[in-house]
Amino acid sequence: MSQEKVDRYKQEKANRKKNVKKEKVQNALRKFAVGIVGLAMVGWIGYSAYGTYEARKPKQEAHIDYTALTDLQSELSELNTPAE
């Protein structure tokens, strides 16, 4: 069993650089993924908060005066009717 431990240690030592590099890449990918998810959550929360804020603001109403158009229409219809 002692020889097995020695062989395992030698193999681990031979692959140590590769394993360390692999762990660093995995950690970097994990941090990147967590960062992307975090940014997405912050963006979503901000968008939702802004939507809620805008929904609570009073809406500005516009009143349109159509009297000029109705007067014009009535004048035009009077002009188009034949005189008796």
Side-chain angles (χ1 to χ4, degrees):
M1 183 153 144
S2 178
Q3 186 61 38
E4 288 178 18
K5 284 184 181 180
V6 171
D7 291 341
R8 199 171 350 147
Y9 177 77
K10 285 182 182 180
Q11 187 178 13
E12 183 181 309
K13 187 175 180 182
N15 295 329
R16 190 170 290 158
K17 285 184 180 180
K18 186 171 72 171
N19 291 338
V20 168
K21 186 176 180 180
K22 183 178 177 182
E23 287 177 11
K24 284 183 180 181
V25 168
Q26 287 176 343
N27 285 337
L29 288 174
R30 192 175 301 122
K31 288 178 184 177
F32 179 74
V34 168
I36 293 296
V37 169
L39 281 174
M41 287 180 66
V42 167
W44 177 65
I45 290 170
Y47 180 77
S48 296
Y50 181 74
T52 303
Y53 171 75
E54 286 294 318
R56 290 186 181 189
K57 286 175 76 174
K59 303 286 187 272
Q60 187 177 21
E61 293 183 15
H63 297 283
I64 301 173
D65 185 16
Y66 290 108
T67 56
L69 289 174
T70 54
D71 292 344
L72 178 65
Q73 185 179 10
S74 64
E75 288 177 18
L76 289 174
S77 65
E78 286 177 9
L79 291 174
N80 288 336
T81 56
E84 290 180 27

